[in-house]
């Protein structure tokens, strides 16, 4: 059970996500503070872990790598759970200077952050469908 490997005492809700037969457990931020910090609070990320941002309405949400300690993939999904945009192997940025933002061209309702090159290893492309359900 993926929930049994969750961080004990984590303030986040959790989601079980399945993509192309692979399961991962994602932290789901629910407060403004959690949304702002995102994965900045972690020193690394395992293959079967991620962070799933759930927005209240579809939009072209922007993300940046300020404060991150490791590279990640960012995957934007529409309201049906289909991938609409991917940014692969984004490097951490230690300062605000020259820290680009990444945005999709299409509206999304969900954004999933995973380990770097996750999308290549698991054949995730535009149009790939992901299933998720909240478990905590």
């Amino acid at each position: 059970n993926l929930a049994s490997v969750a961080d004990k005492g984590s303030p986040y809700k959790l989601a079980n996500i399945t993509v192309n037969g692979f399961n991962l457990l994602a932290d789901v931020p629910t407060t403004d503070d959690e949304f702002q910090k995102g994965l900045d609070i972690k020193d690394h990320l395992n293959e079967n872990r991620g962070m799933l941002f759930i927005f209240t309405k579809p939009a072209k949400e922007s993300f940046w790598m300020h404060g991150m300690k490791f590279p990640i993939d960012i995957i934007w999904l529409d309201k049906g759970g289909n991938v609409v945009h991917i940014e692969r192997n984004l490097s951490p940025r230690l300062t605000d200077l020259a820290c680009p933002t990444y945005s999709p061209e299409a509206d999304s309702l969900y954004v999933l952050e995973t380990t770097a090159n996750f999308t290549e290893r698991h054949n995730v492309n535009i149009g790939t469908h992901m299933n998720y359900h909240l478990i905590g």
Side-chain angles (χ1 to χ4, degrees):
N1 183 346
L2 285 174
S4 67
V5 300
D7 299 329
K8 299 295 181 216
S10 172
Y12 294 100
K13 292 187 178 292
L14 296 170
N16 187 16
I17 300 171
T18 305
V19 56
N20 293 333
F22 184 82
N23 289 327
L24 65 102
L25 187 68
D27 293 316
V28 179
T30 57
T31 68
D32 288 343
D33 186 53
E34 291 172 355
F35 260 77
Q36 286 181 349
K37 287 181 181 171
L39 285 175
D40 293 2
I41 63 167
K42 296 187 181 281
D43 292 326
H44 72 282
L45 195 63
N46 293 332
E47 184 75 10
N48 66 341
R49 295 301 306 265
M51 184 165 282
L52 179 67
F53 297 85
I54 303 173
F55 293 92
T56 56
K57 64 182 191 288
K60 294 174 180 68
E61 298 292 346
S62 296
F63 280 69
W64 69 342
M65 294 294 292
H66 178 260
M68 290 292 298
K69 300 170 188 77
F70 51 91
I72 61 171
D73 283 3
I74 303 178
I75 307 161
W76 285 260
L77 304 124
D78 65 16
K79 64 182 180 182
N82 300 305
V83 176
V84 296
H85 188 80
I86 299 170
E87 293 288 344
R88 291 180 168 94
N89 197 24
L90 299 176
S91 298
R93 301 293 179 149
L94 299 178
T95 69
D96 292 350
L97 299 174
C99 188
T101 58
Y102 303 93
S103 303
E105 293 180 9
D107 285 349
S108 62
L109 189 60
Y110 311 101
V111 175
L112 177 63
E113 295 180 337
T114 64
T115 57
N117 298 312
F118 177 92
T119 53
E120 288 182 8
R121 288 189 298 276
H122 297 284
N123 196 28
V124 176
N125 298 293
I126 303 301
T128 297
H129 181 74
M130 294 190 188
N131 289 313
Y132 87 91
H133 65 273
L134 295 175
I135 56 175

